[in-house]
Structures are given as structure tokens and as C-alpha cells.
């Protein structure tokens, strides 16, 4: 449907911007209305008629029934002739609706497997508040209820949400499009031996009542609604940063993320003040389907980044960068997803360069380039249109667009622009871009207009082939080149070994980071002799590695080469890790090397531990139909 995207910073007359540990500056959140017509095909909402501006959520979390019972009370803004307001819901059991305190008529429309159902409520133009009382269903795709044995402590259960892209509607009735923003406050009741956390201001300690209140004064879209409930503890890293984790992982996590404040300061020095007050991380159980999720004030992170040497904290830099690109300036629709992720990868690399140096960040950029080339090559054979930056996800689940293309192709287009105009000029442009468009939404076409108005001429844009980058398939021939001296050393060592069987010397490898080892493994032939693999394994212990990135990379040549010593590790890894980035290529390697039966046997054991986001991807890959 055609809708107009609106941004309402309502419900709070002022927003808090943290400038440093001692000083805060209040800035009024202006009400932005974008009058351009945007097609958001993934929401039933009609914000031009009635739009939400603030949520008051009163909820009870029940681990026995694995349900959330709640009342969502929405402040709304209406047009002069408004007769209805429409919400998105997915498997919610709505029992009562009131408008300004009086019971109201409502209807639930037909169910769509991707979008759920429209909840349509009768209102008048004078309506101010809509309250919806409901209970979540068995198929609430955003919710992952974990039994105690699925956690690190194995004593108490756990619940976490994953709302991106359009899963918020499965635990809160909402207008679930990224172009609609609102503030919120909440009161949540959980078991007294657990703590509740949200993408808002959070408690630092568990209380005796199990009742927690939350406030989010900055306007966010629904996909950034988040909650976690479990037996976790908090340790501060600085006055505005800290870590939540289960007790057994807390000290490890604090060490791994000890540079968090330095990262925030590095980001601020590039593109302006951090706008969200507190920046904390919660380390979730391993079934979390992503590396991280940029929920405001509380990044959700996978335990697979706890490598013990801070070598995987670029993921933290990525989620932190989203505090500007994505959370502050948001893609208007999921077809514009690259505006969130391409900017964030660019910003992530800049943070890593500022904290750890140019050589380090160029290793990351080299890995990014390699991943882009491989992904584009594979996708051109199966889904070429998804190699475009501007996507067309009409009639599809927007999660289909969450490939590495928006991230990495978007990054290299921005890097190309930086190389054209110079870093100083590009930094000034980006800082102004975030400041000018904060708490607002952006389409690809708006960005191109903004780019032409503020940085590039039309001739320069044509010279850089930006339309080809955005609207055409594959990778343009002006893909920036990355030069990594540290990877050159790795390439030489790998090449020598492949030709002579002389393994790289310890004096060379003892200071290699995870990234150098990943580059070494990723450069191996897809199929090799098992003797060669055994020699590598004996020397460097890849099969026994506790580093998830190393393991997932090592599985690619070993599975395809029928290297049997790795099979036990593959099974234990797939059962214990839920991160889709690792699962998909590992199962794919099993299938492509005629081990479909092995893959299915493992998948049947592992599937109950996976989040719905991972299950949906893998069910399709495996052609798996759950037994009734």
C-alpha cells in the first residue's frame, strides 16, 4: 500500500543528549513530517489517518505458560476525518480495546504468514488514547523462551526478544514500520529471582518484587523495541557504559568490552555527541540469531564474540555505530536497508581505526571486500536482484533482505565517495547528515538528493557510477581496493605452505589476530587433501578452537574435503550456537558435499535451540518440514 511516512517525536518535550560524563544538554525533539509518498509494503498501518506517538506498556511475563499478558496504551495523533486506526499484530490474542477509556469496536483481518494480521479499531478524529489488552501466542516469532539448561548458568530460564525486521508485532500491537517512531514507558512484572531489561533506561540490580519500570524519551521505531528477562548481573565500565551477563560470563565480558568507553568517545569525535544517554551491552545465551542487535541503550550481543583477546569487538563497534546510522537516522522502509547497514559498516571501520589503528581496520576492510565478492558471486546465480542496494521486497519477508550485500556493498560505495572527495570533507558531510536528519527517516532517493545538494555534483555522481551501485545487480568495476600489509604477510605464508608443505613459523604466527587466521583459512582451496588439513590441524588446533569465527571458517574446507575429525565439532557447534551467520554456511557446506542426511540429523537435534529467525532461514535451506 502507499503510505506517507511520519516521524513524531511526541510524548516528550525535550530529549537528553549526553555530551560527557558530567554534562547533559536538553534539546527539543521537533516534530518532523515527511510529505513524500513512500511505499511501505510491510505494515498495515495507515499513519496518514492515525499514527501512534507514545506507548505505555504494562506487562506480566509468565515463564510457566511462556506468554506475555499486557495492555499497550498508545497516544495517537489523528487526521481531521479519521475513522479508524490500524495496528500490526502477529498471533496476538486481543481480548479488549478501549478508546479514551470506553470500549471500542475492533476487527482482526486476514492472516498473512509474513505480515500477520491488521488490527483495525474504530475511532473519531478527537481520539487521544487507544488501549489494547492481549496475550502473546505460541507462535510469537520475536520471543525466545529458553529453559534453564539452555543458559550459561543452567539454573533459571531466560527470555529475549528480537523485533527486527517486523517481529515486534508478535509481542506488542504496534504500527510496525521503520518510518513510524514513538517514545515509550513500561512497567513489567517478572519472577522475583530475575531482572527485566529493555531498550530504555535500565535497572542495575535485581529487586525483591520483580517489578521494573522503564522510560525511553527518544523516539524509536518498533523494530528497536526490546526486552530481556533472566538471571543476569551488571558491571560498569565507565559512567555511561557497562555490561550485563550471566554471572559465569560477567568478568570475561567486562574484559572483552573494556574498550567500550574509548569506542564511544571515538565515535563522538567523528560524528557528534552520543544521543541516547547510557550505552550498555547484554551478552545473551548462544541461541541469539545475530551477532548483535542495536537496541537503543542496550545492545544485544552473542556470546560468540567472547574470544578472550578482544579480537571480535568490531561487532561492538558496529552496534555502537548504529546509535547514529539506523537508530538516529533510519531507513524509511526495508527496501532502503543499506542506509542503516552500509553506513554502519563504514562507521564501524572508522571507530576501529581510531581505537586500534589503520593496519587493524584495513584487515577488517579486506575481509569485508572478500566477503562481498564471494556473496555477490553466489547470489548472482540464485537471487541477482538482491545484490542491488535498493531492494524490492514486496510480497516477501523483509528478513530476506538481510544478506551481507546491504552491509558490505553499502560500505564500499561510501568508501568510494570518501576516496573521491577526501576524508576531511566526507567526515564533515556525515556529521552534518546525522545532525540534520536525527530522529528522522531516510529513503535512498532522499539520500541521493542530499548527497547532490551537500557534497557531490551530478557529474561526480555519474563518474562514481552511484546509480549503478544502487540500482544495478552485482558489483561495479570501480570497487575500491584495500591494501593490508598484515594480510600480505599471511598470503605469502599460505602460498608457501600450499606449494612446499612448510608451515608458517611460530615467530610469524604468534602475534596473528583472529583476522589474520581467518584470512589464512578463507584463502584455502574449497577442497583439499585430508593430509594437508590434518597437518594444519595438528599444528594450529583449528578443530579444537573455542573461537566461533575460526570454527565456522574452518568448517568450510574441511566439510567439503571429507575431513572426518571435524565432524564431531561440527555437530556440537551447530547444537550449541544459534548465530545465523555461522549456521547457514555450515549447513550449506554439508548439503553441497552430499552430507544432507548428516545435516538433517544434526538439525533435528539443534532446531529447538534456534530462534525463529534462524529456523525460518534453515527450514527453507534444508527443505525441512516439522513433524506433526
Amino acid at each position: 500500500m502507499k503510505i506517507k511516512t511520519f516521524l513524531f517525536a511526541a510524548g516528550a518535550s525535550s530529549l537528553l543528549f549526553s555530551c560527557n560524563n558530567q554534562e547533559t544538554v536538553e534539546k527539543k525533539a521537533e516534530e518532523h513530517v515527511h510529505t513524500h509518498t513512500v511505499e511501505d509494503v510491510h505494515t498495515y498501518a495507515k499513519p496518514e489517518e492515525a499514527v501512534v506517538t507514545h506507548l505505555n506498556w504494562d506487562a506480566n511475563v509468565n515463564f510457566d505458560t511462556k506468554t506475555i499478558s499486557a495492555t499497550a496504551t498508545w497516544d495517537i495523533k489523528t487526521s481531521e476525518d479519521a475513522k479508524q486506526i490500524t495496528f500490526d499484530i502477529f498471533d496476538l490474542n486481543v481480548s479488549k480495546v478501549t478508546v479514551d477509556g470506553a470500549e471500542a469496536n475492533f476487527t482482526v483481518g486476514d492472516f498473512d504468514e509474513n505480515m500477520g494480521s491488521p488490527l483495525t479499531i474504530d475511532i473519531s478524529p478527537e481520539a487521544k488514547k487507544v488501549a489494547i489488552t492481549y496475550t502473546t501466542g505460541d507462535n510469537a516469532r520475536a520471543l525466545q523462551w529458553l529453559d534453564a539448561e539452555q543458559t550459561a548458568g543452567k539454573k533459571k530460564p531466560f527470555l529475549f526478544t528480537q523485533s527486527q525486521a517486523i517481529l515486534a508485532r508478535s509481542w506488542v500491537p504496534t504500527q510496525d514500520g521503520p518510518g513510524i517512531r514513538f517514545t515509550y514507558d513500561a512497567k513489567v512484572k517478572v519472577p522475583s529471582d530475575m531482572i527485566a531489561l529493555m531498550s530504555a533506561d535500565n535497572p542495575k540490580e535485581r529487586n525483591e518484587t520483580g517489578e521494573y519500570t522503564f522510560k525511553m524519551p527518544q523516539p524509536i521505531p518498533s523494530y528497536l523495541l526490546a526486552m530481556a528477562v533472566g538471571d543476569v548481573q551488571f558491571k560498569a565500565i565507565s559512567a555511561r557504559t557497562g555490561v550485563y551477563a550471566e554471572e559465569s560470563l560477567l568478568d570475561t565480558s567486562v574484559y572483552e568490552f573494556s574498550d567500550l568507553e574509548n569506542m564511544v568517545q571515538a565515535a563522538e569525535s567523528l560524528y557528534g555527541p552520543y544521543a541516547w544517554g547510557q550505552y550498555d551491552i547484554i551478552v545473551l545465551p548462544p541461541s541469539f540469531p545475530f551477532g548483535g542487535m542495536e537496541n537503543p541503550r542496550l545492545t544485544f550481543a552473542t556470546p560468540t564474540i567472547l574470544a578472550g583477546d578482544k579480537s571480535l569487538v568490531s561487532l561492538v563497534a558496529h552496534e555502537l555505530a548504529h546509535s547514529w546510522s539506523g537508530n538516529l537516522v533510519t531507513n524509511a522502509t526495508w527496501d532502503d536497508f543499506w542506509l542503516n547497514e552500509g553506513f554502519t559498516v563504514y562507521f564501524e571501520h572508522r571507530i576501529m581505526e581510531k581505537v586500534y589503528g589503520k593496519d587493524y581496520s584495513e584487515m577488517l576492510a579486506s575481509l569485508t571486500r572478500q566477503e562481498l565478492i564471494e556473496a555477490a558471486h553466489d547470489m548472482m546465480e540464485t537471487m541477482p536482484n538482491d545484490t542491488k542496494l535498493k531492494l524490492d521486497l514486496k510480497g516477501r519477508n523483509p528478513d530476506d533482505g538481510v544478506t551481507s550485500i546491504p552491509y558490505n556493498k553499502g560500505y564500499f560505495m561510501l568508501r568510494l565517495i570518501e576516496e573521491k572527495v577526501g576524508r576531511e570533507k566526507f567526515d564533515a558531510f556525515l556529521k552534518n547528515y546525522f545532525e540534520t536528519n536525527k530522529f528522522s527517516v531516510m529513503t535512498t532517493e532522499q539520500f541521493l538528493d542530499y548527497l547532490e545538494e551537500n557534497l557531490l555534483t551530478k557529474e561526480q555522481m555519474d563518474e562514481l557510477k552511484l546509480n549503478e551501485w544502487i540500482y544495478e545487480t552485482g558489483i561495479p568495476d570501480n570497487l575500491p581496493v584495500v591494501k593490508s600489509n598484515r594480510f600480505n604477510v599471511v598470503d605469502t605464508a599460505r602460498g608457501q605452505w600450499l606449494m612446499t608443505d612448510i608451515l608458517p613459523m611460530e615467530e610469524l604466527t604468534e602475534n596473528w589476530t583472529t583476522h589474520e587466521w581467518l584470512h589464512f583459512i578463507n584463502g584455502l582451496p574449497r577442497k583439499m587433501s585430508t593430509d594437508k588439513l590434518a597437518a594444519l590441524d595438528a599444528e594450529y588446533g583449528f578443530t579444537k578452537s573455542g573461537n566461533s569465527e575460526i570454527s565456522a571458517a574452518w568448517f568450510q574446507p574441511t566439510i567439503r574435503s571429507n575431513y572426518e575429525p571435524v565432524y564431531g565439532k561440527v555437530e556440537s557447534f551447530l547444537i550449541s550456537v544459534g548465530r545465523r551467520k555461522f549456521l547457514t554456511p555450515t549447513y550449506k557446506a554439508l548439503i553441497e558435499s552430499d552430507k544432507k542426511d548428516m545435516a538433517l540429523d544434526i538439525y533435528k537435534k539443534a532446531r529447538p535451540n534456534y530462534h525463529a529467525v534462524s529456523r525460518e532461514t534453515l527450514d527453507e535451506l534444508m527443505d525441512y518440514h516439522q513433524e506433526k
Side-chain angles (χ1 to χ4, degrees), residues 411-422:
Y411 161 71
F412 275 105
M413 192 187 88
L414 296 175
R415 179 166 172 150
L416 182 70
I417 296 171
E418 180 212 303
E419 292 178 357
K420 175 67 177 177
V421 302

Side-chain angles (χ1 to χ4, degrees), residues 128-145:
K128 302 297 182 187
K129 288 185 183 288
V130 173
I132 305 164
T133 301
Y134 67 96
T135 303
T136 57
D138 294 337
N139 297 312
R141 295 189 296 178
L143 304 180
Q144 176 124 38
W145 302 89

